[in-house]
Amino acid sequence: MAKIYGFKFVLVLVLSILINLFFLFDHFVYKDTELSWSKAAAREAELVASISCSGHGRAYLDGIPFQGEPICECNSCYGGKDCSEVLTECLADADSGDPLFLEPFWMQHAASSAVVVAGWHRMSYRFDDYSSISEELEKHIRQLHAVIGNAVTDGRFILFGAGSTQLLNAALFGLSLDDSPSPANIVASIPFYPLYEAQTKYFNSMEFKWKGNASLWKNRSDSSGTFVEFVTSPNNPDGRLMKQVLKGPSSKTIFDHAYYWPHFSAIPTAADEDLMIFTLSKLTGHAGSRFGWAFVRDENIYKRMQMYISLSSMSVSRDTQLRALKLLKVVLKENGKDLFEFGPKTMRNRWERISRSFSSSKRFSFRNLSLNIAIIFKISQDHHQRLLTYSWPSAAYAWIKCERAEDQDCNAVLKTASIIGRGGSIFNAESRYVRLSLIKSQDDFDLLIQNIDALVSKEGGVAYI
Amino acid sequence: MAKIYGFKFVLVLVLSILINLFFLFDHFVYKDTELSWSKAAAREAELVASISCSGHGRAYLDGIPFQGEPICECNSCYGGKDCSEVLTECLADADSGDPLFLEPFWMQHAASSAVVVAGWHRMSYRFDDYSSISEELEKHIRQLHAVIGNAVTDGRFILFGAGSTQLLNAALFGLSLDDSPSPANIVASIPFYPLYEAQTKYFNSMEFKWKGNASLWKNRSDSSGTFVEFVTSPNNPDGRLMKQVLKGPSSKTIFDHAYYWPHFSAIPTAADEDLMIFTLSKLTGHAGSRFGWAFVRDENIYKRMQMYISLSSMSVSRDTQLRALKLLKVVLKENGKDLFEFGPKTMRNRWERISRSFSSSKRFSFRNLSLNIAIIFKISQDHHQRLLTYSWPSAAYAWIKCERAEDQDCNAVLKTASIIGRGGSIFNAESRYVRLSLIKSQDDFDLLIQNIDALVSKEGGVAYI
């Protein structure tokens, strides 16, 4: 009995000791691969991320703290400590092009998109090769264009800027600074993104002069000097794929391709222009990061643009470049499968939803892109087919027209229904037009649709332009 | 016997099981507080940080990978896979103002200075309060100035920019854009930081005109129009504390206080000017982050500068703002004790070392700042005394003069001794002067001293200016 008793005991004891050994091993070997200096920062970030804001807001690491913790920053029309309160009498704000529709994507890809910036990360003015751009980031950007097929990047210099904004400035100077004694004439086709005019006028440089609508200069004489045309394609506000209006040896074009991604457009061909500008804002949704890039064919123009960047901010923040690289690595996984399913799908759904809302309206016309893009779809190359099916049809903005004679100020009409749009006059178009942003948060979009439905339900009929 | 045998067994078994329970608890409870989504990024950062570059270089997360791991980026004059090879016939590069002398400080403060950026961190164009600057960061910046006593920030608006560079541009436009029909006259005192002239000329705006040396306009008539004077204090290149040369109602001043920190200067009084510009580059050494700020007293000028920032880049990267906040939190610990001991001590040591090298020279004169600063020291307020003792004497650059009649091109003379400086003509001064940067890495500084010693050993005697 004692023997059996002892045997069982020995067995249990040996087992227990084995388990102890396992834990001991686990504890110490595991600890060896544990984190050291990055741990506190990681914990801090996860703690902030775990603050519940009811799905209608989020807390940020650099948020304003209340009792030691950053407070929730709520989406518009939500309030309260945890953003759970719906604010009444709140306007549906569809004004800005804030690309928050992509925020859920990054929350879903938390692990792969996080980045740890060490205190000593790239303190220098220069990279190791004396440039101020990350070679790795450049490589990933070129690869992305090859995968999506939206731009030919071979044989072109690349420039980084603080968003497309800084690069548009750089291009303006880069193309205007030539040996010509008279200032370059700067133009764009109506409706156009208002920054072009605003920056040209603010700088008030002897190198260029704002000359308004491009079409007015189609039949200009050869002595009119150099023309620089801003072309946004797809266009902001109306989503159309655009070509330059002015041609000939004295005209140069700045192609702003901020929206030339499958989220907002079909990609019929790879853009192959001399000067093309892209931005992270509308690709990954990181508008706050201020990161863009330009491809430039001509070396002299590239150098003049580089001089502009250098004199205006030296270069683009390394912190931003590091983060952009991490984000693009996520984007490029499986040839862009995840982002270019999420983005175009979300935008198509929104586009269909808002089309439906306006479909019964005679008072408001809604530019339907489907026909346009269906044709493009057919001529497109095979390997873009998957992306195209998603982006058919969609656009970043709805460009609405008020059809009634008395509704001359369309924005004011929408305002009566608690909708804030961006009036046509801002884009140099008639006030009869309004741009409604479809790329903001889901909360913003839902409220927009709710208010449109209420407005449209007061009348009847269909009108397409 | 069996009983004793059993009792011992039971004791050991109970003990073993208790240990099991402890480990079990440790394992699961510990695991519960473990990291989730941030872990991979943290591991990746620590792995890169652990790559050995022999103390003469470092690997970065966004470095060019070789066999999956980023390669070492070596300090100048070091090479090889792990930067252990000393490159022969390598020049001592004391040209740029790359503030890498602070890199070791951040390596020593790895845990507190690391920051984890979540994939969804601040994607919007705007902060919650519709501004584009972090309130928390603003608060920390104002607190820092109060602690150091180098600027009065009350009653002033704050602007963020991509380094002081962008803010200098913003100030140029902000002060020039007024109702006056004639362009503002832009001036600076020789020797001056060349960006002022370069940016003024590049923009070639109708709002302003470069007019060179400020002193030439001291006795101007009232009808000469508005003057905008750039004042760098302490001055780049020569380290002197400066005041504006032009006074009166038609003159405005942009104070560039990039170097007004205890690392480089005594802090006799808190700067109390209408327009003051600071930068992170020369405070924490993060030049690559491109972050600066300006304090502006007049609301209209502030708004015009804000418009410049908005049109030129919309705002400053949120990634950069987040990182700057983390860095300033480290800086502010114990009222700046750590950084403002490390920085001034390092710079004082370097200053003393280079003074010693030139002390026996008659060929080169070396502007000794100690007398200057000793007086300032006496008039300073008590609470700055600790900081002042460290910054006495020091400066970011040595401003060297070649005394021999035949050494008109001083930079060329230094080049023969394998020293690269920045020639006086770049600062609009005589070529007889050269700026030597003292704020680069320790490797750069050591080689500089070595080459200076070799050069000076060929002659004898002392010359001070």
Side-chain angles (χ1 to χ4, degrees):
Chain A
M1 183 66 187
K3 217 172 183 177
I4 294 163
Y5 177 71
F7 175 73
K8 268 189 186 164
F9 254 69
V10 169
L11 197 74
V12 173
L13 187 63
V14 165
L15 215 71
S16 172
I17 287 171
L18 280 175
I19 292 171
N20 273 335
L21 282 174
F22 164 77
F23 274 127
L24 212 70
F25 179 82
D26 174 71
H27 186 80
F28 286 100
V29 171
Y30 189 79
K31 282 287 178 298
D32 266 356
T33 64
E34 260 311 290
L35 299 168
S36 66
W37 57 267
S38 67
K39 198 163 189 168
R43 270 193 206 290
E44 188 186 28
E46 292 207 2
L47 189 74
V48 169
S50 71
I51 295 171
S52 164
C53 304
S54 312
H56 299 295
R58 71 248 25 90
Y60 294 112
L61 258 184
D62 54 358
I64 297 160
F66 177 73
Q67 295 177 343
E69 258 186 20
I71 54 169
C72 279
E73 301 182 16
C74 305
N75 293 346
S76 13
C77 304
Y78 286 86
K81 196 173 168 294
D82 63 351
C83 307
S84 61
E85 291 167 28
V86 182
L87 304 181
T88 51
E89 297 185 35
C90 182
L91 303 177
D93 187 347
D95 182 6
S96 89
D98 225 359
L100 288 178
F101 76 103
L102 287 166
E103 196 184 57
F105 177 84
W106 296 105
M107 289 184 162
Q108 287 160 23
H109 292 75
S112 50
S113 63
V115 64
V116 172
V117 191
W120 63 89
H121 179 74
R122 297 221 181 269
M123 295 174 64
S124 172
Y125 285 106
R126 297 277 166 221
F127 281 85
D128 210 25
D129 61 354
Y130 287 87
S131 86
S132 59
I133 72 170
S134 155
E135 260 189 76
E136 272 296 284
L137 180 52
E138 174 184 349
K139 209 178 75 187
H140 281 77
I141 289 171
R142 290 189 189 265
Q143 197 186 333
L144 177 66
H145 287 293
V147 165
I148 302 302
N150 65 341
V152 179
T153 69
D154 294 342
R156 278 156 178 96
F157 301 95
I158 194 168
L159 279 153
F160 290 176
S164 53
T165 314
Q166 193 183 20
L167 293 162
L168 291 165
N169 286 319
L172 177 63
F173 278 97
L175 293 182
S176 300
L177 291 173
D178 53 18
D179 298 331
S180 155
S182 58
N185 303 290
I186 315 299
V187 296
S189 283
I190 293 171
F192 58 80
Y193 180 47
L195 179 77
Y196 307 145
E197 181 175 356
Q199 68 179 20
T200 306
K201 288 183 169 171
Y202 183 96
F203 286 125
N204 197 9
S205 175
M206 310 225 202
E207 310 293 347
F208 44 74
K209 258 261 100 41
W210 179 253
K211 293 286 181 176
N213 193 355
S215 321
L216 300 176
W217 302 93
K218 260 186 180 167
N219 303 316
R220 68 198 184 281
S221 70
D222 284 344
S223 62
S224 319
T226 302
F227 277 75
V228 177
E229 182 180 352
F230 281 103
V231 176
T232 329
S233 180
N235 196 31
N236 172 9
D238 64 10
R240 285 176 303 151
L241 290 171
M242 305 285 283
K243 290 275 167 214
Q244 66 273 40
V245 168
L246 303 185
K247 283 169 188 162
S250 67
S251 67
K252 303 166 182 177
T253 318
I254 299 169
F255 280 92
D256 178 347
H257 286 311
Y259 299 92
Y260 200 41
W261 297 105
H263 314 322
F264 315 113
S265 173
I267 309 293
T269 53
D272 192 16
E273 296 112 2
D274 289 349
L275 203 167
M276 307 182 276
I277 296 174
F278 292 88
T279 168
L280 199 69
S281 307
K282 301 300 191 286
L283 162 64
T284 67
H286 293 81
S289 290
R290 312 307 309 127
F291 183 72
W293 58 96
F295 291 108
V296 185
R297 195 165 349 217
D298 182 274
E299 188 168 3
N300 284 327
I301 293 168
Y302 160 73
K303 281 184 177 163
R304 292 200 294 255
M305 288 177 69
Q306 208 174 28
M307 181 58 83
Y308 175 87
I309 300 288
S310 172
L311 291 175
S312 82
S313 69
M314 291 243 187
S315 58
V316 173
S317 168
R318 304 309 179 272
D319 317 333
T320 302
Q321 293 193 39
L322 176 65
R323 190 171 184 217
L325 175 63
K326 194 69 186 266
L327 297 171
L328 290 193
K329 280 181 178 172
V330 178
V331 170
L332 277 166
K333 261 185 202 162
E334 296 182 62
N335 282 334
K337 186 177 152 286
D338 282 9
L339 181 69
F340 296 108
E341 277 185 13
F342 182 97
K345 200 171 172 179
T346 306
M347 289 313 300
R348 186 192 50 180
N349 287 344
R350 291 189 179 186
W351 186 263
E352 283 173 0
R353 185 67 195 79
I354 196 169
S355 305
R356 203 155 66 236
S357 290
F358 279 114
S359 64
S360 62
S361 171
K362 265 184 174 154
R363 187 176 187 189
F364 304 99
S365 65
F366 177 78
R367 196 174 171 279
N368 200 320
L369 292 169
S370 47
L371 190 67
N372 225 356
I373 294 179
I375 295 162
I376 287 162
F377 176 62
K378 284 199 189 100
I379 62 160
S380 76
Q381 290 160 7
D382 278 352
H383 70 281
H384 295 142
Q385 195 147 331
R386 185 181 56 77
L387 297 175
L388 280 163
T389 50
Y390 280 113
S391 58
W392 176 70
S394 71
Y397 307 106
W399 183 236
I400 304 296
K401 187 181 178 188
C402 278
E403 295 287 348
R404 287 185 192 163
E406 67 270 30
D407 289 350
Q408 276 187 17
D409 184 348
C410 194
N411 215 17
V413 173
L414 292 177
K415 191 90 180 271
T416 62
S418 299
I419 296 166
I420 306 175
R422 192 165 283 185
S425 61
I426 290 180
F427 303 94
N428 251 38
E430 287 176 61
S431 307
R432 227 169 237 301
Y433 287 92
V434 170
R435 188 191 83 169
L436 296 178
S437 173
L438 308 181
I439 60 180
K440 296 181 75 186
S441 74
Q442 194 61 40
D443 283 342
D444 281 323
F445 183 74
D446 291 344
L447 189 61
L448 173 67
I449 291 297
Q450 185 184 309
N451 292 5
I452 291 173
D453 286 347
L455 177 67
V456 171
S457 71
K458 291 178 186 158
E459 41 116 3
V462 182
Y464 281 109
I465 53 167
Chain B
M1 182 69 189
K3 214 170 184 178
I4 294 164
Y5 176 73
F7 176 74
K8 269 189 187 164
F9 252 71
V10 169
L11 198 72
V12 172
L13 188 64
V14 166
L15 216 69
S16 177
I17 287 171
L18 280 174
I19 294 172
N20 272 336
L21 284 173
F22 164 76
F23 274 128
L24 212 71
F25 178 82
D26 174 71
H27 186 81
F28 286 100
V29 172
Y30 189 79
K31 284 285 178 300
D32 266 357
T33 63
E34 261 310 290
L35 299 168
S36 65
W37 58 266
S38 67
K39 199 163 189 168
R43 269 193 207 289
E44 188 185 29
E46 292 207 2
L47 189 73
V48 169
S50 72
I51 295 171
S52 165
C53 304
S54 312
H56 300 295
R58 68 241 40 82
Y60 294 113
L61 259 184
D62 55 359
I64 297 160
F66 176 73
Q67 295 177 342
E69 258 186 20
I71 53 168
C72 279
E73 301 181 17
C74 304
N75 293 346
S76 13
C77 304
Y78 287 85
K81 195 174 169 294
D82 62 352
C83 306
S84 60
E85 292 167 27
V86 181
L87 304 181
T88 51
E89 297 184 34
C90 182
L91 303 177
D93 187 348
D95 182 6
S96 89
D98 225 359
L100 288 177
F101 76 104
L102 287 165
E103 196 183 59
F105 177 84
W106 296 105
M107 289 184 162
Q108 287 160 24
H109 291 76
S112 51
S113 63
V115 65
V116 172
V117 191
W120 63 90
H121 179 74
R122 297 219 181 271
M123 295 173 63
S124 172
Y125 284 106
R126 297 279 166 219
F127 281 84
D128 210 25
D129 61 355
Y130 287 88
S131 86
S132 59
I133 72 170
S134 154
E135 259 188 78
E136 272 297 283
L137 181 52
E138 174 183 349
K139 208 178 76 187
H140 281 77
I141 289 171
R142 289 187 189 268
Q143 196 186 334
L144 177 66
H145 287 293
V147 165
I148 302 303
N150 65 340
V152 179
T153 69
D154 295 342
R156 279 157 179 95
F157 300 95
I158 194 169
L159 279 153
F160 290 176
S164 54
T165 315
Q166 192 183 20
L167 293 161
L168 291 166
N169 286 320
L172 178 63
F173 279 96
L175 292 182
S176 299
L177 292 174
D178 54 18
D179 299 331
S180 155
S182 57
N185 304 289
I186 315 299
V187 296
S189 283
I190 292 171
F192 57 81
Y193 180 45
L195 179 78
Y196 309 144
E197 182 176 355
Q199 67 179 21
T200 306
K201 288 183 170 170
Y202 184 96
F203 286 126
N204 197 10
S205 175
M206 310 226 201
E207 310 293 346
F208 44 75
K209 256 259 104 41
W210 180 252
K211 292 286 181 177
N213 193 356
S215 320
L216 299 176
W217 302 93
K218 258 185 179 168
N219 303 314
R220 69 198 184 281
S221 70
D222 285 344
S223 61
S224 318
T226 302
F227 277 75
V228 176
E229 182 181 350
F230 281 103
V231 175
T232 330
S233 180
N235 197 30
N236 173 7
D238 64 10
R240 284 176 303 151
L241 290 170
M242 304 286 283
K243 290 277 168 213
Q244 66 273 41
V245 167
L246 303 185
K247 283 168 188 163
S250 67
S251 67
K252 303 166 182 176
T253 318
I254 299 168
F255 280 92
D256 178 348
H257 286 312
Y259 299 91
Y260 200 43
W261 297 104
H263 315 322
F264 314 112
S265 173
I267 309 292
T269 53
D272 192 16
E273 295 113 2
D274 290 348
L275 202 167
M276 307 183 275
I277 296 174
F278 292 88
T279 167
L280 198 68
S281 306
K282 300 300 192 285
L283 162 63
T284 68
H286 292 82
S289 289
R290 312 308 309 128
F291 183 73
W293 58 95
F295 291 108
V296 185
R297 194 164 351 218
D298 182 273
E299 188 168 4
N300 284 328
I301 293 168
Y302 160 72
K303 282 184 176 163
R304 293 201 293 255
M305 288 177 68
Q306 208 173 28
M307 180 59 83
Y308 175 87
I309 299 288
S310 172
L311 291 176
S312 81
S313 69
M314 292 243 186
S315 58
V316 173
S317 167
R318 304 309 179 270
D319 316 332
T320 302
Q321 293 193 38
L322 175 65
R323 190 171 184 217
L325 174 63
K326 194 69 187 268
L327 298 170
L328 289 193
K329 280 180 178 172
V330 178
V331 170
L332 276 166
K333 260 184 204 161
E334 296 183 61
N335 282 334
K337 185 178 154 285
D338 282 10
L339 181 69
F340 296 108
E341 277 184 12
F342 182 96
K345 201 172 172 179
T346 307
M347 289 312 299
R348 186 192 49 177
N349 288 344
R350 291 190 179 185
W351 186 262
E352 282 173 0
R353 186 65 195 80
I354 196 170
S355 307
R356 205 157 64 238
S357 291
F358 279 114
S359 64
S360 61
S361 171
K362 265 184 174 155
R363 186 176 188 188
F364 305 100
S365 66
F366 178 79
R367 198 174 172 276
N368 201 319
L369 292 168
S370 46
L371 189 69
N372 224 356
I373 295 180
I375 295 162
I376 287 163
F377 176 62
K378 284 198 189 98
I379 62 160
S380 76
Q381 292 160 8
D382 278 352
H383 71 281
H384 295 141
Q385 194 149 330
R386 187 183 53 80
L387 298 176
L388 280 163
T389 50
Y390 280 113
S391 57
W392 178 69
S394 71
Y397 308 105
W399 184 235
I400 304 296
K401 188 181 177 188
C402 278
E403 295 286 348
R404 287 185 192 163
E406 68 271 28
D407 289 350
Q408 278 187 14
D409 184 349
C410 195
N411 216 16
V413 172
L414 292 176
K415 191 90 181 270
T416 61
S418 300
I419 296 166
I420 306 176
R422 191 165 284 186
S425 61
I426 291 180
F427 304 94
N428 251 39
E430 287 175 63
S431 308
R432 225 167 239 303
Y433 288 91
V434 170
R435 188 191 83 169
L436 296 178
S437 173
L438 309 180
I439 60 181
K440 296 181 74 186
S441 73
Q442 194 61 39
D443 283 343
D444 281 322
F445 183 74
D446 290 344
L447 189 60
L448 173 66
I449 291 296
Q450 186 184 308
N451 292 6
I452 292 173
D453 285 348
L455 176 66
V456 172
S457 71
K458 293 177 189 161
E459 41 114 3
V462 183
Y464 281 111
I465 53 166

